[in-house]
Amino acid sequence: MSNEKMKKATPVQQEYQQLANQLEPKRPLFQNCCRAFLAGGMICLIGQAIQEMFVHWAGFDEKKASNPTAAVLILISIILTSLGVYDKFAQWAGAGSAVPVTGFANSMASAAIEHRSEGMVLGVGGKMFKLAGPVIVFGTVAAFVVGIITFVLKGTGGGH
């Protein structure tokens, strides 16, 4: 509980919060970091293997292989989410499964699956894009800011 909320809490609530904080099990921070590192690395390794398959077997160059690689990772994530496997993996992996594109696909698919009973438009479409909207806006704004900073640091162009 934040200090401001603690000031507004009654003495009984403050005492309860202190007791709850003492009894709360400590999180294994190092273990969680290792799991996230391994999970994120494993997802990236699988992505690299998929990209290499597109390069060697489908004749793509590395740059052109990136889009279908992301699409395959998204498809795998959605399939695993629909089977209930990705959520179990995410519980073990923590942030390592949430940060890559597979985590975003899992979030979108989970929202769609959860709200499908409300209909295709208001349920699946509405709830699924409630999550996607802020992520897309943040990504767009961040890309714009990075672009402006890069433009200012490199100058207006001319020679490279």
Side-chain angles (χ1 to χ4, degrees):
M1 201 180 245
S2 70
N3 287 337
E4 191 174 309
K5 287 183 181 178
M6 282 293 283
K7 290 178 186 175
K8 294 180 182 178
T10 66
V12 173
Q13 290 172 326
Q14 290 177 358
E15 184 180 337
Y16 173 79
Q17 189 60 47
Q18 288 173 351
L19 179 63
N21 288 341
Q22 289 173 357
L23 297 176
E24 182 179 341
K26 302 295 180 219
R27 294 187 177 105
L29 184 63
F30 181 74
Q31 180 182 4
N32 290 347
C33 288
C34 289
R35 285 181 177 182
F37 177 79
L38 290 172
M42 185 173 57
I43 291 170
C44 291
L45 183 66
I46 292 168
Q48 188 65 45
I50 293 168
Q51 183 175 8
E52 292 298 321
M53 285 189 254
F54 277 116
V55 168
H56 293 290
W57 294 340
F60 287 84
D61 63 27
E62 284 190 22
K63 187 172 182 164
K64 289 183 180 176
S66 61
N67 286 338
T69 299
V72 169
L73 285 171
I74 289 168
L75 179 64
I76 291 169
S77 175
I78 291 170
I79 291 169
L80 293 176
T81 298
S82 66
L83 296 173
V85 174
Y86 198 93
D87 292 336
K88 290 177 185 171
F89 169 69
Q91 279 184 325
W92 179 84
S97 67
V99 175
V101 70
T102 54
F104 184 64
N106 169 260
S107 300
M108 298 279 293
S110 294
I113 292 167
E114 183 178 343
H115 297 286
R116 69 181 179 264
S117 64
E118 297 175 30
M120 291 303 291
V121 175
L122 296 177
V124 173
K127 304 298 182 190
M128 183 171 63
F129 290 110
K130 192 180 272 189
L131 168 76
V135 173
I136 293 169
V137 169
F138 178 78
T140 303
V141 170
F144 178 76
V145 170
V146 168
I148 293 294
I149 292 170
T150 302
F151 180 76
V152 168
L153 292 177
K154 287 189 174 183
T156 57
H160 290 308

